[in-house]
Amino acid sequence: MSKGILFVLSGPSGVGKGTVLDRVFDKYQDVEYSVSMTTRDPRPGEVDGEDYHFVSTGEFKKYKDNDGFIESACVHGNFYGTPKKFVEEALDEGRDIILEIDINGARQVRKNFKDAVYIFLTPPSFSELKDRLEKRNSESKADREIRLRNARSEMTESDGYDYKVVNDKVDSAAERIIEIIEKEKKKGER
Ligand code: 5GP
């Protein structure tokens, strides 16, 4: 049996990775989402085990010490990691997986998963990104400024990616990602 394909969706903070990926799953279920582990608090409406596995810092550290992640990163003061067991088992069983992770994490995945497909989601412009972070209003002003500063340098990292998708409209960005997934699956069948 052939192995599954690993898709990595990354891009600057606030670009809308989560929103676009939700839209992808509304339309398309032929890829599985890898649920990350995080130490950040759940936001209203988020479900443990679906949006994230919410854990304490102690639990996260234990997992990391036991080599439980394929990558992990501290993003805006919270820890996030991709559980190794789920990804490896799924790929071995021929199931295709998508990760939604920050750029630092994507850099780590690249070292061990050379065959993965890397998709960079980019805002139409920096000012658009600033507007979105302000509208989302889920961080304090100070946090937002940190995210924007990080985003400025993160936006220069798209070169190493296989595909660049502009998030001008959620629907069209989601469609484009589905097209990429379909195209790569077809390649794999040949
Ligand atoms: P949020 O807290 O807004 O859900 O996510 C903050 C950032 O963490 C986003 O850029 C998101 O892509 C990233 N992120 C979520 N899960 C992971 C993960 O497992 N690993 C890494 N490196 N970043 C993650």
Side-chain angles (χ1 to χ4, degrees):
M1 186 172 58
S2 60
K3 277 196 129 203
I5 305 169
L6 180 64
F7 294 92
V8 179
L9 178 66
S10 194
S13 172
V15 71
K17 299 187 287 289
T19 311
V20 170
L21 198 56
D22 282 348
R23 190 65 57 88
V24 167
F25 281 111
D26 286 345
K27 295 165 180 268
Y28 185 82
Q29 288 83 36
D30 221 4
V31 66
E32 282 177 54
Y33 179 58
S34 156
V35 179
S36 296
M37 200 172 270
T38 184
T39 60
R40 91 147 157 69
D41 292 333
R43 296 191 185 120
E46 284 185 331
V47 177
D48 187 32
E50 277 181 27
D51 297 287
Y52 284 103
H53 300 289
F54 295 100
V55 295
S56 66
T57 305
E59 281 175 276
F60 191 95
K61 289 217 165 106
K62 208 154 76 187
Y63 221 78
K64 188 169 158 76
D65 290 346
N66 289 327
D67 198 24
F69 296 120
I70 62 169
E71 64 75 36
S72 67
C74 182
V75 189
H76 317 306
N78 294 301
F79 293 106
Y80 296 82
T82 303
K84 193 183 234 173
K85 190 166 176 276
F86 172 78
V87 172
E88 289 188 344
E89 280 180 6
L91 295 178
D92 283 346
E93 289 168 11
R95 287 146 54 204
D96 303 323
I97 300 294
I98 189 158
L99 313 180
E100 186 253 281
I101 60 177
D102 85 318
I103 284 166
N104 181 358
R107 225 183 280 136
Q108 295 167 49
V109 177
R110 200 184 293 278
K111 288 191 197 133
N112 293 315
F113 294 85
K114 304 263 185 262
D115 294 339
V117 177
Y118 294 87
I119 307 168
F120 192 89
L121 190 68
T122 175
S125 65
F126 189 76
S127 61
E128 182 90 12
L129 183 66
K130 192 162 177 270
D131 279 358
R132 279 186 200 167
L133 276 174
E134 276 165 12
K135 275 194 203 120
R136 181 165 87 177
N137 208 16
S138 60
E139 296 86 23
S140 66
K141 190 160 188 288
D143 270 359
R144 206 156 57 222
E145 265 152 28
I146 297 173
R147 284 180 182 231
L148 277 172
R149 212 169 34 241
N150 292 343
R152 218 179 252 286
S153 67
E154 286 173 347
M155 271 160 68
T156 63
E157 288 227 17
S158 65
D159 285 357
Y161 284 70
D162 300 304
Y163 297 95
K164 200 164 143 180
V165 173
V166 179
N167 186 16
D168 41 6
K169 291 209 175 72
V170 176
D171 249 328
S172 40
E175 285 293 343
R176 178 87 183 94
I177 291 170
I178 295 168
E179 278 167 26
I180 292 167
I181 296 173
E182 289 277 81
K183 182 171 148 197
E184 292 292 332
K185 277 173 177 279
K186 285 210 182 88
K187 263 196 212 168
E189 285 162 12
R190 281 203 296 271

